Structure formats: C-alpha cells, structure tokens
Amino acid sequence: MAILQQRETKSEVMIAAVDLFYTKGYHATSIREISSKAGVNVATVSYYFAGKQGLLEECLLAFFEPYLDLLQKVADSSILKNDPTRSHMMEAAFSLIEFQQQNHRFARFAWREVTMDSQMVREMTSCYLRKEQYIWKLLLAQDIEKGISIKISPSFFLIQLTSMLSMPFLQSQTIQELWNINPSEKHFTREYSCILREWYLGVTCESAITLG
Amino acid sequence: MAILQQRETKSEVMIAAVDLFYTKGYHATSIREISSKAGVNVATVSYYFAGKQGLLEECLLAFFEPYLDLLQKVADSSILKNDPTRSHMMEAAFSLIEFQQQNHRFARFAWREVTMDSQMVREMTSCYLRKEQYIWKLLLAQDIEKGISIKISPSFFLIQLTSMLSMPFLQSQTIQELWNINPSEKHFTREYSCILREWYLGVTCESAITLG
Amino acid sequence: MAILQQRETKSEVMIAAVDLFYTKGYHATSIREISSKAGVNVATVSYYFAGKQGLLEECLLAFFEPYLDLLQKVADSSILKNDPTRSHMMEAAFSLIEFQQQNHRFARFAWREVTMDSQMVREMTSCYLRKEQYIWKLLLAQDIEKGISIKISPSFFLIQLTSMLSMPFLQSQTIQELWNINPSEKHFTREYSCILREWYLGVTCESAITLG
Amino acid sequence: MAILQQRETKSEVMIAAVDLFYTKGYHATSIREISSKAGVNVATVSYYFAGKQGLLEECLLAFFEPYLDLLQKVADSSILKNDPTRSHMMEAAFSLIEFQQQNHRFARFAWREVTMDSQMVREMTSCYLRKEQYIWKLLLAQDIEKGISIKISPSFFLIQLTSMLSMPFLQSQTIQELWNINPSEKHFTREYSCILREWYLGVTCESAITLG
DNA sequence: TATGAATGAGGCTTCATTCAT
DNA sequence: CATGAATGAAGCCTCATTCAT
C-alpha cells in the first residue's frame, strides 16, 4: 500500500505537470504551480523526479514510449497476419490518432517540446524518432509489396503522413478555432481518420485494399 | 540620423531575440542573453519594447504582418489578372513558403508560440489567423470557379494546405534529421514547393491549370 | 520548536524592518537592507510576508492592533468600574503614551506611513482610525456624564487629544532637538503625561476628578 | 523672455514634484513621473536641479524659507508696533496657518519629510527649526511682558503651539476623514484659527488682549 | 514517505543619470 | 534651453533546490 500511495502521488504530480506544460509550456510552468495543483508539497516533486528536468523527461517518455510501443505492436501483428487486403500502415495511423486523442495534452506538449533544441531533446529525437521512422519505412515497404502504388515519392509520402499525425495535436488551438475540429473530444478520432483516409486515397492508386 | 541609429539598435535587439526564441523558446530565453547577444545594455530591451512581453509581441507581429500582407497581395493580383490557366492558390502557397524560408527562424518561433495559450496569443490568433482563413477560402473559391475540382472536402483541403505551410518550419529539426530537408537552406523553397505540388496533384482532378 | 524557530526568524525580520522604516521610511528601505540586518536571506522576506508590501502591512498591523486593543481594554474596564472620581479618558491616554513609548519606533513609522495616501493606507485608516474615534467618543461621553465639563467644543477637544497622542512620536526628532524631550527614553512616559495633564486641566473645568 | 521660460519650466517641474511628493512621498516618486506630469523631458529635471535630491532640497526650501520669512516679518512688525492689546504670537500663528493652507501640499510633504532622518534633513532642521524656535521664544516673551500669563510651563506651551501648527497639514487625511476638517479648502484657515484660539484661551489667563 | 523552512541564483524591471545633439 | 538614446546600478520577486525532520 505504501508503494501504491507513492505511485498515486507520483502520477498525480505528472498529470498536473502535463496539464500545465500543455497550456503554458515547460519553461513557463513552475514546480510550485505543479505541486500546488497536485496538492502536494514543493519538495515532493524534486523528491520523486530529481528536479524539474527529470520531471520533463519522465513526462516526455510517458508519451513517446507508449507511442512507439503502439506503433511497434501494430507493425508486429501486421507482419504476423500479413493480410493482403488491408493497409496496415493506415491501421497504425488510426491507432496512433486514437492514442493521441486519448492523451491529447501529452501529445501537444510533447510535440511542441520536440520543437526546441536543447541537448535533452536532441537525444530523445535521436532515440525515438529514428525508431519511428524505421518502422514506418517497414510498413510502407509492406504495403507496396501488397500492390499499393503511391503517386508521390516515398519520402514525401512519409513526411506528409507523419506530420499529419502530429499536426492536429500540436496546432490544436488553431485547428479548433478555424475548422471546429477539436482533438480533445472523443469523436475527433473518427473525424480525423476520415481526413487521413481521404488524403491516402488521393495519393495512392486504387487497389483491392480496404481502409479499416 | 538619430532615428536611424535608434532603428538600428532596436532591430538588432529583435534579431538577437528571434535567434534565441527560435532555439530555446520564449520563456527559456532571458533578456540578459538577448541584450548581450545584441551587444546592448539589459535596460535597452525594456526601453524599446516596454518589457519582455512587448518584445515578444513585436517579434510575432514582425512575422505575421508581412505574412498576411504577402498573402493578401497575391490574392489581390490574382483577382486582377484572373488568369484561367493558373492556380493562384498554389502561387500563394509558393510565395509563403519562400517568405518563410527567408525568415525561417521567425517562422519556427512564431508557429511554436502560437501553440501556447496565453491571452496575447489568443488575441493574435483571432486577429491574424481568421484573416488568413478568409483569404484562403476566397482563393479556393476562385480556383473552383476556374474548373479545378478537389477530390476531398474543401475544409479538409484547406486544413491540409495550411498545416503543410507551417509544418516544415515548426518541426524543422525532425524534418531535417529524418528526411534531410532543411528549411534554413535556400533551395528548400524549390524542394518543398515540389512536395506541395505533388500533394496538390494528388488531391485535385486533372485540369488545364499549370502550377507555376 | 519548528514553529518557534519560524516565529523567531519572522519576528527578527519584522524588528529589523521597523528599525529601518523608522529611520528612513518604507520606500527608502530596501529588503536587502532589511534581510541583511536581520541576518537572513533576501528571499526569506518574501517567503514570510509575500513581498515588501506584505511586510509593511504586517508591521502596521503589529502597531495598530495592540494600540486599539489597549484602548478598547481601558474603555471596557472603565465601563465596568465606573469610578466617578477618575477620568478614564486620561487613563486611556496615559496607557497609549506608555505603549507607544515602549514601541516608539513602530509608532513613528506607523503614524508617518498613515500620512501617505496609498490604497492600503486608506483601507487601514478606514478600519482602525474609525474604531479609535468611536471609542474616544464613548469615553468622552462617559467623562461628561461624570460631571466633567470641557471649555471647548467636543470635536476640537478630541482633535487636540488624538493629535497630542501621536505628535511626539511622529515628530520625535524635532521635539527632541528643540525641547530635549526624547520619546525613546523610558521616563518620557512620565514627562509627557505631565504635559497632557496640564493641557487637560487647561481645557476642562475643575471637578472632583483626579488624574491618575 | 528666455529667462521667463526657464522660470516657467522650472516651476512647473516643482509644482508637479510637490504634488507627487505630497501624495506618495519623496522616495516613492520617480523623476519620470514628475517630468511626465510636468510635460517635460526626464533629463530636464536633472538639468535644472542637479539630480533628484537637489529637487527635494529646493522643494523643501520653497516651503521653509517663506514660512520662516513670514514668521520673521510678523515678529518684526510686532516689535515695531508693540500693541499692548494684541497677542502677536497668535497673530503669527494665524498667519502661518493661512500660509500653510495656501500651500497645503507643500506643508504636508515638508513636515513629513522632516520626519525622516537623513543627513540633509538634519541640516535643514538645524538651520530652520532653530530659527523658528528662537522667534517663538521672542514672541512669547513679548506676550508675557504684556501681561499675559500662561497656566502651563512655557516649554509645554510652545511644544503644543508648534505641533498644532503642523499637525493638521501633516495628518490631513486622518483629520479630514474623522473630523471633516479639510486643510485643502479655503475656509479651513478660519475654522482652524478658531480651534487655536480656544486652545489659547484654555491655557492662558484672561487678560485685556484680543485675538485677531 | 513527505514536508516546511530557508536559500542562492537569476529574472525582469525601474531608476536616476549622462551624453551627444 | 531642452531632449531622446542609452546605461549601470539597484530593486523586488520568483525559481528550483536542499536539508533537517
């Protein structure tokens, strides 16, 4: 139970932190705000995360790790099943949209923070984004094997895809205000998958593949 | 000459500021860093911009104002010429890419800052982004009149277009590291216009229109 | 004991603050001076008092609250005893002189600060001085009931009395230099009570009342 | 005319300064506020007064010099006329009240500033207040010669008198709020002279002297 | 495990002043 | 005479952190 309590306190701090990072950004948020929002003492934050930077790292990991795990999982099962009638690439995309919608605060904050260039961010970029790229290339290769042909160059295709995955969360305010699409609402997943699908149909040639 | 000198000092401060904001973000940058980079006294910043926030505002305006002016100018001339063989929408897009490439630091910093939700940002969003949206809708309507038909819904089309305009600058590090496309280099304009064109061809039906 | 330690640090800061406020005035005193005089860190001041203004407020309260409490206490006991042979009004005056002599630094600083017109001062004035006036009027009415008759109008009487209570502390330097009466010395209480008594005898008609 | 213009600018600055000193005190007032209130450039203040402290000194002199001159003038004429039916002491008091009422802002600010103990204030005190004391003693001696007898000790008498002369201006807010006597209004002179007269009658024995 | 006291560093701003014009 | 640019110093405050408990 002691352990549980620790877990609880710790994750409450993280939730409060992400909430504030999401709104104001990492540097504009003080650990005093975080701790008071979480209802714990200021020292507790340093105690659990060894400083503010440690908290940031854990928060970023708490987003990127499951993000990559999910992508990996979809890729693995896709290889296992090897269903020729489905674009597992699109399936991965839909999953990631759903995951991000469920953690949209994490998503916005994480993608924004990756925009800065501190040493820590560069290290994370090197580690996670490369893995992500690797998996996408794999999935793309698989789709192509299945007979899907893309009208544009594979590089451009992947750039467009990956940026479409982060964009609505990163620029959520703009998106929401101008187009009335809100990544914080549940049905966003369905709506945005629709947009993705239309884009996909636009840039690929028709084939026997169905989009889940 | 006195005025000139003032202008010089002031714009040197702005240049230094944008450089640092671009790299580390607004809140992580201290005005001491800015002033020492600009080679002026700390107090000079507050003297010219009435505080750090004032500096931020002027920097944002220094990006969004010409950005919108450019878009407006292209829209105006497009209406004047009314050349049925050209997509003035794409021409606008190319111009904005070029403008942003020439001011890529401004661009990254501005789009990132728009990601935060402070009061000031919200006011700017209301003012500038709405105007931008309005012009795009106008241009789109014109293109459609000319006989271009888009395969996806107009809303989705504009969302994709506008996010493709900011994305490479906002996520420049990721883009560069993974795909070796560098928005800070001159030839990026050409390369990225290429990507845009392919996307455009993918989501529109063939027509007599040529893309400049 | 932790609480004790806190109290100690906090009150050491207050003592240092009043010492400096007394000498140079609130605005001319920096919290650096205060903290260094108190032997604590600069941040400690803001930690305990939430800023310089908070320190000022607590210092003023630390004077006006006991001041009013004392007046109230004398008034209460005066009503209880209802001794027809004593002017409880004068007794209250003597008590307040003694209290102020014991805290003459507080007194000078407080009365001087009340001289400024900031919002905070106005609020304090509204709160404390009105209560004080109310009690004086009560005491005066009681004295009159006992048969004391004042030669001058009650209003003028109270104005003279109250200003004689604060004057020697507020203008202590002048008083001391010119008349060699020093509010910081213990025997001032006796001396000044003498002055008060003479004044009182001058402006009231003789009666059976003795002045304590 | 050039000289006149200088005079005008200079005195406009002084008027603005006293206005602000009166309200917020010397240290809480910045020369930027003063200069902007006076409608001149910041540098002008340092130009005319050789710094902020110089401005303070001139403002204080601008009060104490005419104050003392007035007192001296009344004393001189009193000696000349030597009218046995008038208390020239009271006449001096009435004159000083009138003078202070006409310059009530100066008065409050000056008496308050004398409350601080900086080196400059001490020097001024030494110079002016001693002269004042000297004249009062002279006038008192004259009155006594005329047959007026005071019930209280001469020292106490002078202390009471001088403090009654500054008190209403120094503690004007309190006085005004509690007793509705306003030193900034013209008729205050008459009202307060009345209070003074009653006090005087209380502490002196009846005589043939009339109070103007 | 969790806290409150206390701190040193640094941040932003304001101030009074100077200097060239 | 009067000004605007620019500055160094200082002011207040907030921050992240540590330490004893």
Side-chain angles (χ1 to χ4, degrees), chain C residues 11 14-15 18 49 54-69 99 103 106-107 109-110 124 128:
Chain C
S11 62
M14 277 186 70
I15 288 168
V18 169
F49 301 92
L55 174 56
L56 172 61
E57 286 179 31
E58 283 212 32
C59 286
L60 286 178
L61 287 185
F63 174 75
F64 283 116
E65 232 163 46
Y67 181 96
L68 208 65
D69 283 352
F99 167 76
N103 304 280
F106 268 94
F109 141 68
M124 220 160 237
Y128 282 94

Side-chain angles (χ1 to χ4, degrees), chain A residues 45-79:
Chain A
V45 177
S46 289
Y47 176 74
Y48 276 118
F49 300 93
K52 196 186 174 189
Q53 164 135 344
L55 173 58
L56 171 61
E57 285 179 30
E58 282 212 35
C59 286
L60 286 177
L61 287 185
F63 173 75
F64 284 117
E65 232 164 46
Y67 182 95
L68 208 65
D69 282 353
L70 185 58
L71 183 57
Q72 183 71 55
K73 213 192 64 190
V74 174
D76 288 347
S77 80
S78 141
I79 288 167

Side-chain angles (χ1 to χ4, degrees), chain C residues 75 78-79 82 88 137-147:
Chain C
S78 139
I79 290 167
N82 198 18
H88 292 290
K137 280 182 177 168
L138 225 69
L139 285 170
L140 177 58
Q142 250 191 350
D143 270 15
I144 289 174
E145 263 185 33
K146 289 178 196 166

